[in-house]
Amino acid sequence: MLRRHRHTARLTLEQLAEASGVSARTLSDMERGRSKGPQHRTVTALAGALGLADADRKQLVELAREGRLRDRWDRPTGLCELPRSVDDFTGRAAGLAWISELLRAGDAPGAASVVLITGSAGLGKTTLAVRAAHTLRPDFPKGVLFLDLFGMSPQPLAVDDALGMLLRALGTAEQQIPRDVAGRASLYRSLLRDRHVLIVLDNAASEEQVRPLLPGGGAGKALVTSRRLLAGLEGVRRLGLGSLPLLEATELLTGILKDRSASDDGSAVSQLAQMCGGLPLALRIAGNRLVSRPGWNAADLAARMTNEERRLDQLSAGDLKIATAFGLSYEQLADAPRRVFRRLALVPGRNFDAALAAVVGGTSIEGAWDALDELVDLGLLQDSTSGRYRFHDLVRLFARDRLQQEEPAADRDAFTEAVTSWLLRMATTAGRWFEPGYGDPGHAGPDTTGLSSPEEADHWLRVNADNWLGALRHGASIGRYAAVLDCAESMDWFSDRWMHAPHWYEVFTLGAEAAAALGDPARQAVLLNMLAWVHLLPRDDPETTLRYTAQATELATRGGATAQVALALHHAGGALRRLGRLDEAIASETRAAEIHKKNGDIDRYCHSLGALGTCLRDAGHHARALEQYLDLLALLDDDRSGATPSVAAVIRPIALARVGECLGLLGDRAEAITKLTEAISLMEQVQLPVPQARSLETLAAMLAEEERTGESRHAYARAAEVYQAVGDAEASTRCHELANAAP
């Protein structure tokens, strides 16, 4: 009404302010509805400045009087007062800014009236919400209210009680509060529609509990926190909290320690922060323990927490206990999800999928999905778009503790045995997909289904590497030698596809030890040859390779395993070539090729032919080497040769790259570049990153010699990326420098 009268009088805010003696800011607040009950003298001054007739003057005065009455009703009651914010609040800057921006949006169309913060126990949801609410106080002149909904207690706050408390805090007299939930909710929403009030609803239990407490639109806003995802809430903006990055976690711990942090070693504080897993509650407890014990230092507490079995016990300070926080979530679970949760502590690796969870929990895949959904909803597990799940490190320790407390030792051993057996069978089945002539290992058993192609087997082995390697270690420790040997042996051909993986030495060592324990010299020779390969290619240690090939040859000869004798000769040839003993290398590779051909092993024969070509190239016989590689390519391309297609697909791009190298050495760089480019494309298709990186580096050098500088730079840069991906930092740096060196 004031705005309408001002426009009728053709006055600006500034002109009316000057005429009435009322500030322009006060006038703006009145016109925007922020000030609905101005004083009588203010209204009469405005009426006089506007020259209002008696009826209009009376109406304006009455509206101001009604506003003052409402304002008295809005007066804070002292109920639902916002807790204090901690003075060492650290991190969460992006989340804090996001919350503030959404809740400051006023009544703009599409503005969020509800922001929901979710996350597992100890992530600081309440601390962030309280901090945000204090920051937003000036934007909510009618008040900021805080209500704990006790969502994790056995008896969460009832909806009618919550509404009653909020209505009283909003100034409603007891006799005016309806008795029924629907009436209370309706009155509550009507009060919030026109009032700039922020309601902080902490620790919500469910959608049913929190939905009646949300504003229905208008000026009122709500900020909700919950351990559960509350996926059923509609029309809310969500912020999922994660652990603090190590830098922010260290900063928070340092802030808690305040002045005494100067006496603590910085590396020890950082180590403590890392052991707390970026969990703010754990950091708070660790910091409080140090502050309350001046005789301790960070290194002392870090030493105590090094023992994982005692780490949760150390994260206790007064009534703050990290295990208690996790326990509140655990108590919310039904029996089946509880069982799955605690048994998941037996998973060897850092993450897992539903199939492994079903094996661990002794349930169906459908039961596993249901349990995993419940665990994610409560923040006891973290999930990803790839369908894999993981524990926070401290939550895993809590699950392990629950397992030890609630499951008999005999049952724990049985569960561990079941998980170990399943993982070893799965890994063995997956590895055998890559053995020449083996094909689909359909006899693997009904519990190892789900691998219907080499691509699926490859994916499973990579994403579950921590799990099946952990099972391999455990199997070896309890004497499951046959299963360990089968698993290690099945990785022979797959290891060529993932040669930069760091675990092959351990895998093949465990296999060799298992073969020795079983008294099987022929299979021990197989694993020793695999170890020779590890030291020849991934580790580039030819002297050690020769030691393993000598042992393998002796055992293979004793066991009558001529194939392993030939393979030892092949690996020895590679080692001799790297040591510059080229005549010996050529003789060794030639003999290996002869034995493989005689045995009818065309796949191994092709490997030896390729290696023989490399020996000839290094010996300076470039034309003979080129001829050797061309013959090899012809053999691989001949459908009648007997070469396994999957093996040929791996050997072909390497042979093609060697053709390019020889052509370059013979002076035909243009054709060499063409062959190398084709080979690199094929290597990328079949996932051969190490040969790909080396071929890219060779190609880059040839392009530079041809003065094709831009293309050379690009090839060096790509080589640097691939080297970095396989963990060869030295080669990556070299190629990166060469990429930037050209003018």
Side-chain angles (χ1 to χ4, degrees):
M1 179 171 286
L2 177 61
R3 183 186 296 114
R4 177 163 54 81
H5 285 309
R6 180 171 62 80
H7 287 170
T8 300
R10 297 180 180 279
L11 295 174
T12 65
L13 276 176
E14 290 74 16
Q15 289 169 335
L16 180 56
E18 185 176 356
S20 65
V22 178
S23 73
R25 172 65 181 273
T26 300
L27 290 172
S28 176
D29 285 346
M30 292 167 65
E31 289 193 0
R32 290 186 298 118
R34 287 184 174 272
S35 175
K36 298 182 180 180
Q39 295 300 313
H40 179 75
R41 62 178 178 275
T42 300
V43 180
T44 55
L46 290 170
L50 291 165
L52 298 181
D54 287 346
D56 288 337
R57 176 189 294 267
K58 182 178 179 181
Q59 187 179 20
L60 196 67
V61 169
E62 282 299 316
L63 284 174
R65 178 177 177 276
E66 291 175 10
R68 287 195 297 276
L69 290 174
R70 287 197 304 271
D71 204 37
R72 283 198 293 273
W73 200 26
D74 286 345
R75 194 168 297 153
T77 63
L79 300 173
C80 299
E81 181 61 25
L82 186 66
R84 71 182 181 90
S85 177
V86 293
D87 58 0
D88 49 29
F89 182 88
T90 303
R92 308 293 191 202
L96 189 59
W98 182 81
I99 294 168
S100 299
E101 181 181 355
L102 286 176
L103 295 179
R104 277 180 176 141
D107 301 331
S113 62
V114 181
V115 171
L116 172 63
I117 305 173
T118 61
S120 63
L123 282 173
K125 300 178 294 297
T126 301
T127 302
L128 175 59
V130 168
R131 185 71 167 196
H134 278 286
T135 303
L136 290 164
R137 264 192 189 278
D139 297 275
F140 292 91
K142 299 303 180 182
V144 176
L145 304 181
F146 179 92
L147 184 62
D148 188 347
L149 299 177
F150 296 100
M152 288 295 105
S153 72
Q155 292 184 318
L157 187 64
V159 173
D160 58 342
D161 291 338
L163 285 167
M165 295 174 70
L166 289 169
L167 287 170
R168 294 183 194 96
L170 288 168
T172 309
E174 190 68 39
Q175 60 272 23
Q176 294 175 317
I177 298 177
R179 292 187 176 182
D180 63 303
V181 172
R184 291 185 177 192
S186 179
L187 176 59
Y188 172 71
R189 288 192 298 272
S190 69
L191 292 177
L192 291 183
R193 183 177 299 113
D194 298 321
R195 302 189 192 193
H196 286 84
V197 177
L198 175 62
I199 309 293
V200 181
L201 302 170
D202 187 45
N203 194 14
S206 65
E207 293 91 339
E208 292 79 5
Q209 182 195 39
V210 79
R211 192 176 282 118
L213 310 180
L214 302 180
K221 307 285 183 179
L223 180 57
V224 185
T225 75
S226 178
R227 292 191 191 184
R228 291 190 177 274
L229 297 177
L230 303 186
L233 286 184
E234 60 284 335
V236 302
R237 301 297 294 274
R238 299 172 179 273
L239 175 64
L241 291 190
S243 301
L244 291 174
L246 181 57
L247 187 61
E248 288 186 4
T250 304
E251 184 181 349
L252 174 57
L253 186 53
T254 302
I256 296 169
L257 297 177
K258 293 186 173 66
D259 296 337
R260 68 152 286 162
S261 65
S263 62
D264 284 310
D265 177 61
S267 62
V269 173
S270 180
Q271 183 185 7
L272 262 183
Q274 192 164 19
M275 288 179 173
C276 290
L279 210 61
L281 178 59
L283 294 161
R284 176 76 52 192
I285 292 171
N288 287 359
R289 289 200 75 184
L290 288 173
V291 169
S292 63
R293 292 170 173 79
W296 286 18
N297 58 43
D300 294 331
L301 184 54
R304 288 171 174 245
M305 289 178 58
T306 300
N307 181 1
E308 285 191 348
E309 300 297 329
R310 296 279 298 158
R311 189 171 298 172
L312 290 182
D313 294 335
Q314 295 301 319
L315 288 172
S316 171
D319 62 350
L320 290 178
K321 300 180 188 295
I322 196 69
T324 300
F326 298 150
L328 290 173
S329 295
Y330 182 68
E331 293 300 322
Q332 300 289 313
L333 298 169
D335 288 343
R338 279 192 197 183
R339 183 171 59 252
V340 172
F341 170 75
R342 59 181 179 257
R343 292 182 184 178
L344 282 170
L346 297 171
V347 173
R350 293 185 58 82
N351 57 64
F352 46 87
D353 59 11
L356 182 51
V359 174
V360 172
T363 184
S364 65
I365 190 72
E366 292 79 11
W369 281 122
D370 291 342
L372 292 168
D373 284 346
E374 180 71 6
L375 294 171
V376 170
D377 187 53
L378 268 169
L380 289 169
L381 282 182
Q382 302 164 21
D383 64 349
S384 68
T385 55
S386 64
R388 300 191 68 78
Y389 301 80
R390 67 182 298 271
F391 282 114
H392 184 282
D393 290 344
L394 294 178
V395 178
R396 178 190 286 276
L397 295 180
F398 175 76
R400 184 189 300 172
D401 179 69
R402 289 297 84 211
L403 180 70
Q404 292 173 347
Q405 296 295 324
E406 299 179 33
E407 304 272 13
D411 289 352
R412 296 199 303 270
D413 291 342
F415 304 148
T416 304
E417 170 70 15
V419 173
T420 299
S421 296
W422 185 82
L423 284 168
L424 290 178
R425 289 196 304 275
M426 278 292 291
T428 303
T429 300
R432 284 177 176 163
W433 268 100
F434 306 97
E435 294 181 5
Y438 201 94
D440 176 5
H443 62 278
D447 65 340
T448 56
T449 56
L451 303 178
S452 57
S453 68
E455 291 74 24
E456 289 182 3
D458 183 293
H459 177 73
W460 191 93
L461 287 168
R462 291 174 191 261
V463 300
N464 285 287
D466 286 349
N467 288 320
W468 61 259
L469 182 57
L472 201 70
R473 292 175 185 136
H474 183 70
S477 71
I478 61 174
R480 292 285 308 278
Y481 299 126
V484 169
L485 179 55
D486 285 346
C487 182
E489 202 170 23
S490 75
M491 298 297 155
D492 186 9
W493 289 85
F494 173 69
S495 59
D496 281 334
R497 300 169 64 99
W498 197 17
M499 66 173 62
H500 61 281
H503 51 253
W504 294 127
Y505 174 77
E506 183 178 9
V507 170
F508 299 146
T509 297
L510 290 172
E513 291 171 350
L518 292 169
D520 191 332
R523 295 181 76 186
Q524 188 180 357
V526 172
L527 273 300
L528 289 172
N529 268 324
M530 293 182 189
L531 284 167
W533 169 85
V534 169
H535 288 86
L536 178 63
L537 293 177
R539 293 197 167 193
D540 194 15
D541 181 2
E543 294 285 3
T544 303
T545 297
L546 290 176
R547 286 199 292 273
Y548 277 115
T549 57
Q551 296 174 44
T553 300
E554 192 274 327
L555 288 168
T557 301
R558 190 199 317 165
T562 58
Q564 293 308 312
V565 172
L567 197 56
L569 287 166
H570 169 59
H571 291 321
L576 292 165
R577 180 182 65 81
R578 289 170 187 259
L579 292 169
R581 296 159 59 179
L582 296 173
D583 289 341
E584 295 173 81
I586 291 171
S588 188
E589 293 289 6
T590 300
R591 180 62 183 142
E594 290 170 353
I595 297 174
H596 285 314
K597 187 175 183 179
K598 182 179 179 180
N599 288 344
D601 190 340
I602 301 303
D603 295 319
R604 296 289 190 192
Y605 175 61
C606 289
H607 273 291
S608 293
L609 289 181
L612 180 56
T614 305
C615 292
L616 292 169
R617 180 204 63 185
D618 286 5
H621 307 310
H622 302 149
R624 287 177 58 196
L626 176 61
E627 183 180 354
Q628 181 80 24
Y629 287 126
L630 291 172
D631 288 345
L632 174 57
L633 284 172
L635 184 64
L636 294 170
D637 292 336
D638 184 355
D639 294 337
R640 299 166 299 176
S641 68
T644 304
S646 60
V647 175
V650 172
I651 300 176
R652 184 179 290 108
I654 297 174
L656 192 60
R658 297 290 186 268
V659 167
E661 292 169 8
C662 288
L663 287 169
L665 291 168
L666 291 167
D668 190 353
R669 281 201 294 265
E671 184 62 18
I673 289 170
T674 299
K675 296 298 185 186
L676 280 166
T677 303
E678 183 183 349
I680 289 165
S681 176
L682 290 173
M683 288 172 183
E684 190 162 13
Q685 290 177 28
V686 296
Q687 299 181 48
L688 296 173
V690 174
Q692 181 188 359
R694 292 170 180 167
S695 297
L696 279 164
E697 190 172 2
T698 302
L699 174 63
M702 287 189 185
L703 289 167
E705 291 172 359
E706 290 288 292
E707 298 184 352
R708 294 162 64 174
T709 305
E711 295 172 84
S712 175
R713 277 181 168 178
H714 178 75
Y716 273 128
R718 181 71 184 116
E721 292 175 2
V722 180
Y723 276 130
Q724 185 66 36
V726 301
D728 192 338
E730 182 180 349
S732 178
T733 300
R734 179 180 67 245
C735 289
H736 183 72
E737 290 173 351
L738 287 167
N740 295 324

